[in-house]
Amino acid sequence: MFASIKGRSVIVTGSGRGIGRGIALRFGAVGCRLLVVSRTLSEAQRVAGDITAGGGTALAFAADVQRAADMAAMAKAAVDAYGGIDILCANAGIFPAAKLGVMTEAEFDQVIGTNLKGTFLAVSACLPVMKARKSGRIILTSSITGPVTGYPGWSHYGASKAGQLGFMRTAAIELAPFNITVNSVLPGNIATEGLAGLGADYVRSMEASVPLGRLGSVNDIANAALFFATDEAAYITGQSLVIDGGQVLPESLAALDEMRSGS
Ligand code: NAP
């Protein structure tokens, strides 16, 4: 149905586990050449190994998205290995909870530094290569939390994720003359190691709030990221796609009860 993107050079930050791992495996499965990036090299190596074991092409790279020097080295590694960067998935993110009044300045800085500044640094590092070739796809992993919803404990996280969309809209305009598109996926609650870390009660309550009746899979997000990278999505830029099983739709708990009653 879609034209092949086999052989494209793809960087996925935060792909040692979770959604990023799912994105890397998905692009690997369609024949892209991957740079799998996380701070923990052993996890990135495991993911790269999974891709190569399936006949794909992947390398692991250890980098912290909060460090400009790491992002420059990451971009160089992709260019050295694959001759360029066609697609950047800026996915690395953290979501530690802390309510206002308890949240420290350091905790706020850590979340904004990773999720928002990390997006800026990853994108900035890849831009010279993409601009020179007048071609590129940038896909950000934002969230429903912040752009669409709120959740106690995540004011810093919500700000970082909404901030990514503000960044995206202006970046999309600035980069349009270079044929670089910038779009975002907004996951709902996706079954990942990071989400499991929030506890069984949280996971159960989230499952109960999703009209489609299940948490999302990493593949649900990876498929959307892959779409933004296809030739068929060439005319889409500055847009965000919610992938949440309908979680943001019900007006109230009564709406969910009414749905379940089947009447
Ligand atoms: P996860 O399971 O905790 O995985 C996060 C990945 O990011 C890991 O590979 C981690 O590896 C890497 N990472 C974290 N900080 C990094 C840094 N400073 N530099 C480089 N890599 C870093 O999380 P996830 O659930 O897959 O979430 C991934 C993205 O999706 C995040 O942006 C998150 O906000 C977003 N999201 C997730 C959900 C969900 O339900 N899971 C929902 C909405 C949005 P290292 O720790 O080794 O670096």
Side-chain angles (χ1 to χ4, degrees), residues 8-75:
R8 305 248 165 111
S9 165
V10 184
I11 295 175
V12 186
T13 67
S15 49
R17 54 182 188 270
I19 290 173
R21 175 177 185 272
I23 293 173
L25 292 176
R26 190 74 186 85
F27 278 91
V30 297
C32 291
R33 298 176 294 167
L34 270 297
L35 193 70
V36 178
V37 182
S38 69
R39 290 169 302 181
T40 312
L41 183 60
S42 58
E43 290 190 346
Q45 284 172 328
R46 220 172 6 250
V47 174
D50 289 344
I51 294 169
T52 52
T57 305
L59 290 170
F61 193 81
D64 185 338
V65 296
Q66 295 185 90
R67 297 166 57 91
D70 281 18
M71 293 298 92
M74 171 189 83

Side-chain angles (χ1 to χ4, degrees), residues 20 33 62 95 98-99 103 140 147 162 198 207 216 219:
R33 298 176 294 167
F95 35 92
K99 288 189 182 155
M103 185 189 297
L140 313 181
L198 298 174
E207 277 167 351
N219 229 20

Side-chain angles (χ1 to χ4, degrees), residues 31-250:
C32 291
R33 298 176 294 167
L34 270 297
L35 193 70
V36 178
V37 182
S38 69
R39 290 169 302 181
T40 312
L41 183 60
S42 58
E43 290 190 346
Q45 284 172 328
R46 220 172 6 250
V47 174
D50 289 344
I51 294 169
T52 52
T57 305
L59 290 170
F61 193 81
D64 185 338
V65 296
Q66 295 185 90
R67 297 166 57 91
D70 281 18
M71 293 298 92
M74 171 189 83
K76 182 175 183 311
V79 172
D80 289 348
Y82 304 134
I85 304 164
D86 296 303
I87 300 156
L88 166 68
C89 297
N91 166 83
I94 56 172
F95 35 92
K99 288 189 182 155
L100 293 172
V102 177
M103 185 189 297
T104 64
E105 187 179 346
E107 287 169 335
F108 184 87
D109 286 346
Q110 178 73 9
V111 169
I112 298 292
T114 305
N115 299 358
L116 185 53
K117 184 178 166 189
T119 296
F120 159 69
L121 291 178
V123 169
S124 297
C126 296
L127 277 186
V129 180
M130 289 181 170
K131 279 180 164 178
R133 299 168 82 199
K134 283 222 166 221
S135 170
R137 296 298 170 87
I138 297 170
I139 298 136
L140 313 181
T141 305
S142 174
S143 175
I144 57 169
T145 310
V148 189
T149 65
Y151 198 101
W154 278 330
S155 58
H156 50 359
Y157 178 75
S160 73
K161 293 286 149 180
Q164 283 181 300
L165 297 194
F167 172 87
M168 170 191 78
R169 292 190 184 102
T170 290
I173 298 171
E174 289 185 13
L175 300 176
F178 300 94
N179 191 31
I180 299 168
T181 66
V182 193
N183 293 290
S184 295
V185 290
L186 275 60
N189 281 271
I190 309 303
T192 65
E193 294 86 339
L195 192 87
L198 298 174
D201 285 350
Y202 175 86
V203 170
R204 258 193 305 277
S205 75
M206 282 303 138
E207 277 167 351
S209 67
V210 178
L212 284 177
R214 64 170 175 90
L215 294 186
S217 70
V218 296
N219 229 20
D220 290 322
I221 307 306
N223 285 329
L226 183 64
F227 169 67
F228 280 131
T230 60
D231 291 349
E232 288 75 7
Y235 202 54
I236 302 172
T237 194
Q239 300 304 308
S240 53
L241 182 58
V242 170
I243 307 123
D244 73 340
Q247 186 176 348
V248 301
L249 299 177

